[in-house]
Amino acid sequence: MNVATVGRSAGCLKSVFRQTRYQRSFQRCLSAAAATPAKSIPRNEFSGRQRAEKEKVSKFAVWPEVPSIRATHPDPMPALLEKQIAKLDPTGARTRLFSREHADSAKVGDVLMVSTKAGEPFAGAFIQIRRRGQDTAILLRGQMMKVGVEMWFKIYSPTVTGIDIIWRRPKRARRARLTYMRKPKHDMGSVDQLVFAWKKERYALRSRAKQSGQKKGK
């Protein structure tokens, strides 16, 4: 106890005792910090049975993962499909006609005319396309004898001799399948007038080309 604190009045005894307690507790903290810490014994988190099982497992040889067959042998179908399409369409005109990348390709809603080896050419509205590689087919809806007719044509078929765009839709269709054109309200009906106008324009262009060729020859 300090001498300065003893000379105080009896009313301050509580504060004196409190101060002495604080000093003693501070001294204990300093002595505990100065003492050397005891070495902590490492505790094993695994039991004896678990350690034995772990040792057994560590003795097993771990082999590398077997590579997937997809990594070692890629899918041969895309290359085969490209080879077949190149054989059926050597010029690439049919592929370009129905390509998604070209802006001048045929779109759903246009009027197409398909010419085949057997029978007369069929003209109708381009309703739907089914992309299946070399089996890609288009669906045309026309009218025969005032009756709506729909026909599927495979664009790479050897029996199809030509596919011509008769009329282009002025506004792009918002659907991939124009099945609503089967209803009488939206049915285009006969496209014979469009085909006749296209043939007339084509004949006029051919005649002009022949006349210009004859003038150059003279």
Side-chain angles (χ1 to χ4, degrees):
M1 181 184 298
N2 295 335
V3 179
T5 57
V6 174
R8 294 179 181 178
S9 59
C12 298
L13 288 177
K14 291 184 179 180
S15 61
V16 172
F17 292 147
R18 190 181 302 112
Q19 187 175 3
T20 54
R21 285 198 300 270
Y22 290 158
Q23 289 179 356
R24 288 177 182 177
S25 62
F26 182 69
Q27 290 176 359
R28 290 197 198 99
C29 293
L30 291 176
S31 62
T36 57
K39 294 182 179 180
S40 59
I41 301 173
R43 294 180 60 188
N44 196 348
E45 298 179 356
F46 300 98
S47 63
R49 182 178 178 183
Q50 291 176 344
R51 288 196 300 272
E53 292 179 355
K54 191 175 181 181
E55 291 177 358
K56 289 181 181 179
V57 172
S58 62
K59 294 179 180 178
F60 288 103
V62 180
W63 300 97
E65 185 179 357
V66 179
S68 175
I69 192 172
R70 293 185 178 181
T72 55
H73 300 80
D75 188 9
M77 291 306 296
L80 182 61
L81 291 176
E82 290 181 1
K83 186 177 180 180
Q84 291 180 351
I85 291 174
K87 184 178 180 181
L88 295 171
D89 186 23
T91 59
R94 301 283 176 85
T95 305
R96 180 183 174 84
L97 183 62
F98 296 97
S99 176
R100 294 175 178 173
E101 300 175 356
H102 297 85
D104 58 344
S105 60
K107 301 294 190 300
V108 176
D110 299 345
V111 176
L112 307 181
M113 185 174 67
V114 179
S115 303
T116 58
K117 291 182 179 179
E120 297 181 357
F122 181 81
F126 182 21
I127 292 180
Q128 178 186 350
I129 182 169
R130 183 176 58 195
R131 301 181 186 276
R132 298 290 186 276
Q134 73 275 12
D135 294 330
T136 301
I138 57 176
L139 178 63
L140 302 183
R141 179 177 177 81
Q143 192 174 20
M144 297 177 65
M145 303 293 293
K146 296 183 180 180
V147 178
V149 179
E150 294 183 1
M151 293 186 67
W152 283 97
F153 294 98
K154 292 186 177 181
I155 64 175
Y156 297 113
S157 177
T159 58
V160 176
T161 58
I163 301 175
D164 300 312
I165 300 177
I166 305 300
W167 177 79
R168 289 186 181 273
R169 186 186 179 102
K171 189 177 180 181
R172 183 181 65 86
R174 295 186 178 181
R175 299 183 182 180
R177 301 177 182 178
L178 305 184
T179 53
Y180 63 87
M181 296 185 70
R182 295 171 180 169
K183 298 181 180 180
K185 181 180 178 180
H186 304 284
D187 193 2
M188 287 186 65
S190 178
V191 294
D192 293 339
Q193 296 180 356
L194 297 175
V195 174
F196 179 75
W198 175 78
K199 288 182 177 180
K200 187 177 180 180
E201 184 180 359
R202 191 177 183 184
Y203 178 76
L205 293 174
R206 284 183 179 180
S207 61
R208 289 178 185 176
K210 287 182 180 180
Q211 290 177 2
S212 61
Q214 290 176 2
K215 289 182 181 178
K216 288 181 181 180
K218 292 179 180 180

